Amino acid sequence: SDGFEFKNKTRIQSYHVCLKKIAETGEFAYDLGFNILDVFQWSNGRPLSMVGMILLDQFDLPNRMELNQSRMRNFLEKVEDGYDARNPYHNSTHGADVTQRFATLI
């Protein structure tokens, strides 16, 4: 899959950096030892939306479920924007970690 479409050039660059770095580590969706803080750095502070989009791609859900990629991207970004970055625990990095860990179970 070519991945999600972005209007923001910084986000598309971050997405491709994340894909490249994750490819170097292997199938991260199934890796319990994956360090979510790496995705925070690779994604310029947008770990939840990046992890969500990458997992959707890895499971081929946009095609299998006929999901509109633009709407899914917007949804994930809105969810991430709803987190309070000042919260030291329940923030978007924690949300990305929970999302990735859940993917290891399915």
Side-chain angles (χ1 to χ4, degrees):
S1 156
D2 291 337
F4 285 79
E5 298 174 12
F6 294 84
K7 293 178 184 166
N8 180 309
K9 286 186 181 193
T10 301
R11 290 215 181 127
I12 194 165
Q13 290 169 342
S14 294
Y15 181 76
H16 289 293
V17 166
C18 284
L19 287 177
K20 180 180 178 214
K21 295 284 190 179
I22 288 166
E24 291 170 2
T25 67
E27 288 291 324
F28 98 104
Y30 308 104
D31 183 4
L32 286 172
F34 187 77
N35 185 353
I36 202 66
L37 296 177
D38 289 339
V39 177
F40 179 84
Q41 290 179 328
W42 301 334
S43 67
N44 291 320
R46 304 289 296 187
L48 180 57
S49 55
M50 289 297 166
V51 165
M53 289 181 284
I54 290 166
L55 284 170
L56 287 169
D57 261 356
Q58 283 194 346
F59 290 111
D60 195 32
L61 293 179
N63 293 323
R64 292 171 58 195
M65 298 181 70
E66 298 180 17
L67 300 173
N68 180 296
Q69 289 185 346
S70 179
R71 286 185 181 164
M72 288 305 304
R73 184 198 68 240
N74 288 337
F75 170 77
L76 290 167
E77 289 177 353
K78 293 258 187 220
V79 169
E80 186 160 45
D81 289 342
Y83 279 93
D84 184 349
R86 297 170 297 178
N87 188 321
Y89 183 73
H90 286 110
N91 52 40
S92 68
T93 303
H94 176 253
D97 189 41
V98 170
T99 301
Q100 189 274 332
R101 300 292 175 189
F102 181 74
T104 66
L105 299 174
I106 55 174

